[in-house]
């Protein structure tokens, strides 16, 4: 069956569903639609549409009707409660989500094929992706209060876990290496995908063995390669070009720093209007509408829901996605180019190193993620400047402050960069498809997004340049080998490791610049 494109509007009394069917001949008798409380089903072979609306509809044949205009079928259905507002009717993938029947304890007692032990075991070993009944209402008063209470409880402290003992109880010779496949991607659900893409030219991936590198080893490998990739001279040159611009500079930072992000402008305009209203007339959630193209993108998302026990890695992924997206957008002053997917993929550690933990020397995992993204943005893109990064963080903050729907606009645009790429499409498959679908669901609340915005701003606004450090190899005097060729596995025992922070590099750049001006 084919899911047709559709759009929904409403007034106080009716729901209007416009359904587009193409390249078929039909008459009124061949069309069937069923109403069962909040469930609406439309059938016109080979087209089939099942929508789960936020509130019940009235099964009233006299007041319901369907009209035809070319390839468009317009269905009019009355609401059960007149004047009730149906939320999120433009989130098409949310309306298409399925529900599954839940087996209660009485049914389990009568089921001979499933013992209680097997049921308990299945609950323990069940993957974190499950089909759930989805409620589409996110904006009523009680839900908003509940959401904000949940958002206040979120804790960004790094979770500490003791290493698990070998379950076999057998002593293994350390000289014998056992290769074990590991999981990655959304909620660690995938494997055997990135390894194949490497042979097709996937240069976003930087793991030496993407299919077998353990979680903690991914962090270590990422930190080492970030240190190798960072070029202090490159950063110093960009720092001088931004602070002391000349007509002969290769890069013009002024235009990039002054560029106004359209999503940010949209939020600030709404916020300014809200502040001018009396407090009792202000709305908590910014209204955002989706274009037909964005609705079609949501229509192509997987029709499933998710059960995620730990949301913090996915919220950290959200921060990484938005930072990379807004960095590329600002670097290109609002446009994407042929290198946009590569730039974003390199900045996002969950893509380039399949690293969802992002733990460095920090008591706060959100702060650790912020530092990681800054380090990567100073090591890979064409423009490497701290003031540029500060502007990007402001873009991310205001995007989050705009709420779930404004963030969804950015995610849908970012997803397209990877979706149609010949090689990098794998990151859409293992991360973005599932993540965007999960993000649309009620599992992600408005309060969660707003609190994440405030928590993030607190972290990046209190960071100092001296906290952004890189470890570099200092060769003995007389050794002029290029740092780009250094390999930490083949270091000379006389080489010294020195820690450089951004403030020190900028101070040295200032001294050299002033000496040249004299």
């Amino acid at each position: 069956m084919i899911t047709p494109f559709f759009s929904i509007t409403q007034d106080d009394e009716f729901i209007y569903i416009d359904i587009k069917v193409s390249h078929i001949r039909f008459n009124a008798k061949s069309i069937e639609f069923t109403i069962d409380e909040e469930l609406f089903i439309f059938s016109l072979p080979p087209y089939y549409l099942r929508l789960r609306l936020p509130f019940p509809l009235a099964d009233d044949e006299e007041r319901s009707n369907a009209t035809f205009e070319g390839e468009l079928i317009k269905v009019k259905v009355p609401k059960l409660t007149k004047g009730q507002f149906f939320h999120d009717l433009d989130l098409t993938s949310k309306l298409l989500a399925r529900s599954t029947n839940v087996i209660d304890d009485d049914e389990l007692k009568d089921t001979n094929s499933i013992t209680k032990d097997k049921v308990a075991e299945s609950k323990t070993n069940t993957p974190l992706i499950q089909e759930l009944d989805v409620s589409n209402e996110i904006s009523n008063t009680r839900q908003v209060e509940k959401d904000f209470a949940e958002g206040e409880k979120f804790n960004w402290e790094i979770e500490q876990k003791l290493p698990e003992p070998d379950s076999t109880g057998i002593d293994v010779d350390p000289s014998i290496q056992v290769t074990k496949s590991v999981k990655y991607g959304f909620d660690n659900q995938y494997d055997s995908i990135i390894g194949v893409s490497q042979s097709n030219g996937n240069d976003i991936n930087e793991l030496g063995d993407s299919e077998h590198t353990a979680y903690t080893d991914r962090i270590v490998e990422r930190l080492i390669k970030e240190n190798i990739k960072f070029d202090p001279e490159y950063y110093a040159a960009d720092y001088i070009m931004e602070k002391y611009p000349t007509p002969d500079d290769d890069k013009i930072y002024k235009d990039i720093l002054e560029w106004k992000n359209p999503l940010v402008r949209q939020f600030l305009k709404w916020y300014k209007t809200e502040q001018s209203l009396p407090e009792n007339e202000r709305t908590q959630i910014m209204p955002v509408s989706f274009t037909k193209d964005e609705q079609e993108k949501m229509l192509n998302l997987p029709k499933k829901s998710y059960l995620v026990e730990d949301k913090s890695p996915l919220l950290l992924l959200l921060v990484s996605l938005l930072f990379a997206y807004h960095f590329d957008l600002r670097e290109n002053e609002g446009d994407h180019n042929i290198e946009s997917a590569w730039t974003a993929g390199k900045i996002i550690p969950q893509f380039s190193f399949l690293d969802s933990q992002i733990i460095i020397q920090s008591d706060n995992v959100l702060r650790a993620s912020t530092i990681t993204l800054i380090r990567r943005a100073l090591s890979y893109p064409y423009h490497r400047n701290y003031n540029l990064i500060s502007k990007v963080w402001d873009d991310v903050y205001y995007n989050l402050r705009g709420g779930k729907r404004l963030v969804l606009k950015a995610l849908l645009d970012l997803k397209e960069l990877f979706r149609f790429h010949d090689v990098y499409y794998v990151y859409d498959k293992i991360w973005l498809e599932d993540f965007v679908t999960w993000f649309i669901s009620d599992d992600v609340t408005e309060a969660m997004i707003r609190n994440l915005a405030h928590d993030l701003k607190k972290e990046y606004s209190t960071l100092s340049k001296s906290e952004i450090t890189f470890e570099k190899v200092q060769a003995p005097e007389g050794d002029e080998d290029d740092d780009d060729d250094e390999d930490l596995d083949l270091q000379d025992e006389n080489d010294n490791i020195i820690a450089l922070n951004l403030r020190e590099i900028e101070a040295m750049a200032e001294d050299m610049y002033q000496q040249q001006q004299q």
Side-chain angles (χ1 to χ4, degrees):
M1 303 296 284
I2 301 174
T3 301
F5 176 77
F6 67 95
S7 62
I8 307 179
T9 57
Q10 65 179 312
D11 57 25
D12 287 344
E13 192 173 356
F14 292 94
I15 290 291
Y16 303 93
I17 307 174
D18 293 348
I19 305 170
K20 184 178 181 181
V21 294
S22 303
H23 312 300
I24 64 170
R25 294 181 179 179
F26 64 91
N27 53 47
K29 294 182 179 180
S30 59
I31 298 176
E32 296 181 5
F33 63 87
T34 305
I35 299 169
D36 183 7
E37 295 185 350
E38 78 281 358
L39 189 66
F40 171 85
I41 299 176
F42 165 86
S43 177
L44 174 62
Y47 291 101
Y48 176 82
L49 180 65
R50 181 182 61 239
L51 303 176
R52 199 170 299 278
L53 297 162
F55 301 106
L57 300 171
D59 190 2
D60 189 337
E61 293 185 3
E62 294 183 357
R63 298 167 63 202
S64 303
N65 62 64
T67 58
F68 317 106
E69 295 182 7
E71 295 183 340
L72 196 65
I73 300 175
K74 295 191 171 187
V75 181
K76 176 183 174 182
V77 185
K79 297 179 180 179
L80 183 63
T81 304
K82 184 177 179 180
Q84 191 172 45
F85 182 75
F86 284 36
H87 302 283
D88 296 336
L89 294 182
D90 53 353
L91 297 183
T92 52
S93 64
K94 191 174 182 180
L95 299 174
L96 291 169
R98 296 177 295 173
S99 65
T100 54
N101 297 326
V102 179
I103 302 176
D104 57 28
D105 293 337
D106 294 335
E107 290 175 321
L108 287 175
K109 290 178 182 178
D110 298 333
T111 305
N112 296 325
S113 60
I114 304 177
T115 66
K116 290 184 178 180
D117 292 338
K118 289 184 178 181
V119 170
E121 181 181 355
S122 66
K123 288 182 179 179
T124 302
N125 298 329
T126 298
L128 294 180
I129 295 182
Q130 294 291 328
E131 293 294 342
L132 301 176
D133 193 8
V134 178
S135 170
N136 294 300
E137 180 187 3
I138 65 172
S139 302
N140 61 69
T141 304
R142 291 184 179 179
Q143 184 67 33
V144 168
E145 292 175 355
K146 178 183 175 183
D147 292 349
F148 277 94
E150 177 184 351
E152 292 172 358
K153 296 177 183 178
F154 202 82
N155 189 347
W156 289 109
E157 287 187 353
I158 293 176
E159 183 181 2
Q160 301 181 83
K161 294 182 180 179
L162 293 174
E164 297 181 1
D166 184 4
S167 59
T168 63
I170 302 174
D171 293 332
V172 180
D173 187 346
S175 63
I176 302 175
Q177 296 184 354
V178 180
T179 302
K180 182 180 179 181
S181 179
V182 295
K183 298 286 187 178
Y184 46 73
F186 183 86
D187 216 17
N188 289 322
Q189 293 296 312
Y190 297 92
D191 60 15
S192 305
I193 296 177
I194 297 299
V196 175
S197 73
Q198 286 180 259
S199 61
N200 295 328
N202 180 2
D203 54 356
I204 286 180
N205 175 72
E206 294 188 63
L207 285 174
D209 187 354
S210 57
E211 299 298 335
H212 304 101
T213 303
Y215 304 121
T216 54
D217 292 340
R218 297 175 197 173
I219 301 171
V220 174
E221 187 172 346
R222 173 176 59 77
L223 292 172
I224 291 174
K225 290 184 176 179
E226 285 171 358
N227 288 331
I228 294 174
K229 180 62 179 176
F230 178 73
D231 186 344
E233 294 181 1
Y234 195 122
Y235 176 77
D238 277 31
Y239 169 77
I240 295 299
M241 278 189 283
E242 186 268 322
K243 188 171 184 179
Y244 306 106
T246 65
D248 297 330
D249 288 341
D250 295 333
K251 306 172 188 176
I252 306 299
Y253 275 96
K254 183 176 183 294
D255 293 340
I256 296 177
L257 296 176
E258 293 179 352
W259 177 76
K260 303 298 182 183
N261 190 308
L263 293 180
V264 174
R265 288 205 309 266
Q266 186 177 349
F267 167 75
L268 292 177
K269 181 180 179 180
W270 169 80
Y271 184 77
K272 183 178 180 180
T273 303
E274 289 295 308
Q275 293 302 109
S276 65
L277 298 175
E279 189 171 351
N280 60 343
E281 296 181 11
R282 298 175 186 174
T283 57
Q284 290 185 314
I285 300 174
M286 174 181 171
V288 177
S289 59
F290 295 99
T291 65
K292 181 180 179 181
D293 181 57
E294 289 169 335
Q295 292 184 27
E296 289 178 346
K297 292 174 184 176
M298 288 188 280
L299 192 61
N300 291 325
L301 292 172
K303 309 302 186 295
K304 56 185 178 182
S305 303
Y306 305 89
L307 177 62
V308 177
E309 292 182 351
D310 185 6
K311 298 177 184 177
S312 60
L314 296 181
L315 292 178
L316 293 177
L317 173 63
L318 175 60
V319 172
S320 298
L321 294 174
L322 291 180
F323 179 83
Y325 171 76
H326 285 293
F327 186 98
D328 177 71
L329 211 60
R330 180 168 288 276
E331 186 178 40
N332 296 296
E333 299 182 48
D335 296 321
H336 298 301
N337 59 32
I338 195 171
E339 297 293 335
S340 291
W342 181 91
T343 300
K346 279 295 187 181
I347 291 176
I348 301 169
Q350 292 90 340
F351 286 15
S352 52
F353 282 94
L354 306 176
D355 178 14
S356 300
Q357 299 184 40
I358 314 179
I359 299 175
I360 57 177
Q361 294 179 355
S362 173
D363 296 328
N364 185 312
V365 69
L366 183 59
R367 194 175 188 85
S369 180
T370 304
I371 294 174
T372 296
L373 291 167
I374 294 174
R375 281 168 54 93
R376 299 194 65 77
L378 294 176
S379 301
Y380 293 92
Y382 180 61
H383 295 86
R384 305 177 191 176
N385 179 265
Y386 194 84
N387 288 339
L388 168 61
I389 290 173
S390 297
K391 287 287 187 180
V392 173
W393 279 126
D394 288 339
D395 293 339
V396 174
Y397 167 71
Y398 287 121
N399 195 174
L400 289 168
R401 280 296 310 275
K404 182 174 176 178
R405 298 166 75 88
L406 196 65
V407 171
L408 182 56
K409 276 183 167 288
L411 293 177
L412 290 172
D413 191 24
L414 175 66
K415 185 178 183 298
E416 293 302 291
L417 297 180
F418 293 90
R419 180 184 171 198
F420 293 109
H421 197 281
D422 292 341
V423 178
Y424 305 150
Y425 72 91
V426 293
Y427 296 106
D428 180 49
K429 293 299 181 185
I430 69 172
W431 276 118
L432 293 172
E433 272 193 354
D434 292 317
F435 181 82
V436 176
T437 305
W438 172 79
F439 184 83
I440 292 174
S441 73
D442 289 335
D443 205 26
V444 180
T445 65
E446 291 287 349
M448 191 185 301
I449 300 301
R450 179 173 295 186
N451 281 277
L452 175 61
H454 292 306
D455 291 343
L456 180 63
K457 185 175 180 63
K458 178 182 176 182
E459 298 303 333
Y460 80 76
S461 62
T462 57
L463 269 178
S464 67
K465 294 181 180 180
S466 59
E467 294 182 70
I468 312 300
T469 61
F470 294 87
E471 294 181 349
K472 303 298 291 182
V473 175
Q474 185 181 40
E477 294 184 6
D479 189 348
E480 302 294 336
D481 289 345
D482 191 349
D483 286 344
D484 291 339
D485 297 329
E486 62 185 340
D487 187 332
L488 295 188
D489 293 332
L490 302 175
Q491 282 182 22
D492 189 280
E493 62 181 4
N494 295 322
D495 290 347
N496 296 320
I497 301 294
I498 61 172
L500 288 175
N501 64 57
L502 299 187
R503 194 173 299 281
E504 293 171 339
I505 299 172
E506 291 178 1
M508 290 186 287
E510 284 277 4
D511 291 341
M512 294 181 63
Y513 177 78
Q514 296 301 334
Q515 290 175 11
Q516 292 174 358
Q517 298 304 308
Q518 292 177 359

